[in-house]
Amino acid sequence: MKEKKLKLSLLFNLIFLLFFLNHFVFHLGIKRVVEVFLRENKIVDMPMGYEKNPAYGLAIRLYDAYLPREANIVMLGDSITAAVDWNELLGRADVANRGIGGDNPEGFLNRLDYVYKLSPKICFLQASGNDILGMPIKDIYGIYLQIVAELKKHDIIPVIQAALHRSIKDSEESNRRITKLNEMLKQFAQEKQVDFLDL
């Protein structure tokens, strides 16, 4: 009887702990850090953040279905980029939108082939910080640097756009990290003579 109570107590405590962790891990933005740790240490076979985004898979399938064409300019980004009809906004017919809602720099890097296929002269790169609380700033910065290097390798002029600050409630920590990332990107752009748009 005593052993049964102990097992029930442990089970109840475990359920409570899991509920507590799930609730706070999600709301504190630590979920992404945990996922990266579990994936990188091969503790669980977990898909990358961008791979879990249903919009990502749909967009990639559409890119594969689009008729081949060329574009002078590619807009690469997340939902802020995706939401705009760039040709209409800019009064041009040579801009390709490669924005995906909910995407992040890790996802951008993974789908650069869809930029290269368009043979653009310029690629504007913009992220609003979908991973800003879930990944160390230095890692996000490192991914930006990889993207810039890859674009240059393909003779595409990269234009880094500043990550936008958030206006939602309780976004002070996110905005502090976004400011830090923008400072790092701006300094990199100055040192490497890459265009940087401070939005």
Side-chain angles (χ1 to χ4, degrees):
M1 183 71 171
K2 196 173 182 180
E3 191 179 317
K4 205 175 210 179
K5 283 185 179 179
L6 180 63
K7 284 182 180 177
L8 281 173
S9 176
L10 284 172
L11 182 62
F12 175 76
N13 285 328
L14 182 61
I15 290 169
F16 176 76
L17 180 65
L18 289 173
F19 174 78
F20 177 85
L21 284 174
N22 183 50
H23 179 74
F24 284 98
V25 162
F26 180 77
H27 289 288
L28 292 175
I30 301 168
K31 185 176 180 185
R32 175 78 175 122
V33 174
V34 172
E35 288 177 355
V36 169
F37 174 80
L38 292 174
R39 185 177 68 242
E40 288 180 353
N41 290 284
K42 301 188 185 337
I43 296 170
V44 239
D45 187 18
M46 190 173 276
M48 306 282 266
Y50 64 86
E51 291 172 325
K52 293 186 302 182
N53 177 1
Y56 190 93
L58 174 62
I60 293 299
R61 288 192 295 277
L62 285 171
Y63 297 159
D64 285 331
Y66 290 159
L67 295 173
R69 72 176 184 108
E70 290 188 0
N72 284 321
I73 301 168
V74 172
M75 308 301 287
L76 180 64
D78 55 24
S79 58
I80 293 171
T81 300
V84 178
D85 182 332
W86 292 100
N87 284 306
E88 188 167 352
L89 180 70
L90 300 173
R92 304 178 65 120
D94 60 348
V95 184
N97 190 337
R98 289 298 176 265
I100 298 178
D103 202 10
N104 57 45
E106 207 173 17
F108 305 167
L109 182 61
N110 186 66
R111 59 189 174 92
L112 284 177
D113 282 344
Y114 294 99
V115 173
Y116 307 149
K117 286 179 182 178
L118 297 166
S119 303
K121 294 176 182 161
I122 301 172
C123 179
F124 287 81
L125 173 64
Q126 191 277 324
S128 63
N130 285 320
D131 267 351
I132 206 71
L133 280 176
M135 183 183 280
I137 293 293
K138 65 178 179 58
D139 292 350
I140 298 171
Y141 173 75
I143 293 169
Y144 267 93
L145 269 52
Q146 286 180 62
I147 294 170
V148 168
E150 290 298 320
L151 290 171
K152 284 183 163 187
K153 200 188 297 183
H154 287 80
D155 296 320
I156 300 168
I157 299 167
V159 179
I160 300 172
Q161 299 176 95
L164 299 176
H165 289 88
R166 297 174 173 213
S167 60
I168 58 174
K169 187 180 171 188
D170 301 325
S171 55
E172 294 86 2
E173 178 60 14
S174 292
N175 286 337
R176 184 189 66 75
R177 290 167 58 83
I178 287 169
T179 298
K180 178 66 178 166
L181 175 63
N182 285 337
E183 287 168 358
M184 293 167 72
L185 290 171
K186 188 172 185 178
Q187 184 176 346
F188 164 77
Q190 288 171 347
E191 289 172 2
K192 302 296 181 183
Q193 298 180 330
V194 173
D195 289 322
F196 178 85
L197 295 181
D198 191 347
L199 302 177

